[in-house]
Amino acid sequence: MTTVLLLALPTSGLAYLLLAVLVGGESAGAPLPGETALITAAVLASQGKLALPAVVATAAAGAIVGDNFGYLLGRQGARRLLSRPGRFETARRGFLQRGEAFFERHGPKTVFFGRWLPFLRVTAALLAGAHRMRWRTFLAWNALGGISWAISVGIAGYVLGQAASAVLHTAGLVVIAVVAVAALVFFGWLKLRRP
């Protein structure tokens, strides 16, 4: 569907705008096909319909702006929801404490490498904000990750053409499956460990 949208636009300027909106929206936490839009735009660039440097720059800018919006949402909204009094308050506050410790130790790696993992690409900024990762640290690693992601995925899409879409989609599904199996094993282990 993203391919159809990008091809149907009457000007390349609108294609870049759509790319920025999809990547930025996905980065802010919305379930949008941001990476698919980048791959599609890169394939279109390989066909001469868009310019690869503009595709990469647009995707990187969309990722950085979207992630910073997601960080702000996490810091303001998600933090309030998790720390408010009421049902499951103890569990929610425990989640915040564990998350803060995690982001203190692993925040930069999570923000940087999260760009290439489907679930983290959508949630890392929200979680970093909710767990009070320092904004300057977040911004630096987010910018580095967003730029690296846009360059690597954009060049892969450009070089591999239409075959890149199938390869990256399959790789994304494999990563999701591995994370799901790891989570099931971890929660099963926790359940067995309880007396």
Side-chain angles (χ1 to χ4, degrees), residues 26-158:
E26 179 187 53
S27 298
L32 294 172
E35 185 170 68
T36 303
L38 172 56
I39 293 167
T40 301
V43 169
L44 291 173
S46 74
Q47 298 168 355
K49 296 176 181 170
L50 296 173
L52 183 62
V55 166
V56 168
T58 300
I64 293 166
V65 170
D67 275 338
N68 277 278
F69 185 72
Y71 176 89
L72 182 63
L73 286 175
R75 185 114 182 167
Q76 300 300 319
R79 180 86 190 177
R80 280 192 198 132
L81 285 173
L82 291 169
S83 63
R84 69 178 169 75
R87 195 171 192 184
F88 305 115
E89 180 179 2
T90 305
R92 287 185 277 113
R93 288 187 184 271
F95 172 74
L96 280 175
Q97 288 175 344
R98 288 187 305 278
E100 286 171 1
F102 175 85
F103 270 90
E104 185 67 34
R105 289 189 315 271
H106 306 292
K109 292 178 278 194
T110 302
V111 170
F112 179 81
F113 290 114
R115 289 294 331 153
W116 286 271
L117 301 172
F119 179 73
L120 274 179
R121 186 170 44 252
V122 178
T123 60
L126 290 165
L127 292 172
H131 292 108
R132 293 192 173 156
M133 182 177 180
R134 285 181 355 114
W135 180 74
R136 286 185 180 183
T137 303
F138 171 80
L139 178 62
W141 286 98
N142 165 250
L144 187 60
I147 293 167
S148 300
W149 169 79
I151 290 170
S152 64
V153 174
I155 289 175
Y158 185 85

